[in-house]
Amino acid sequence: MHARFSHYRIKPENIETMTRQVAEDFFPNYLAKMRGLIAHHVVQIADDEVISLSLWEDEEAAEASVA
């Protein structure tokens, strides 16, 4: 198993829109269709910060998600 962690700074007024777009568009239309995805979560950790954690079957699958 391989984990991929990303940290983003976003204007506070845009966080709700961004997390909704990830949940309604990016995840189902792109990420969920990728080989090797086990799980994906986006968590707001501060007023202007979110983290994304995805779990993959192997490093190759995780690296393919970056492209």
Side-chain angles (χ1 to χ4, degrees):
M1 184 182 308
H2 191 80
R4 184 164 185 282
F5 173 84
S6 300
H7 177 254
Y8 304 95
R9 288 196 184 273
I10 301 171
K11 292 180 182 180
E13 62 269 20
N14 295 336
I15 286 183
E16 183 179 333
T17 299
M18 187 280 289
T19 56
R20 185 176 56 252
Q21 287 175 335
V22 168
E24 294 175 359
D25 183 38
F26 179 71
F27 180 78
N29 295 315
Y30 175 71
L31 205 56
K33 295 177 180 179
M34 297 197 76
R35 179 195 70 77
L37 180 69
I38 297 170
H40 178 260
H41 299 282
V42 175
V43 179
Q44 183 174 353
I45 59 170
D47 288 344
D48 64 345
E49 295 177 83
V50 296
I51 57 171
S52 168
L53 174 66
S54 52
L55 300 176
W56 301 87
E57 291 177 0
D58 53 42
E59 185 176 359
E60 182 180 323
E63 291 302 319
S65 74
V66 177

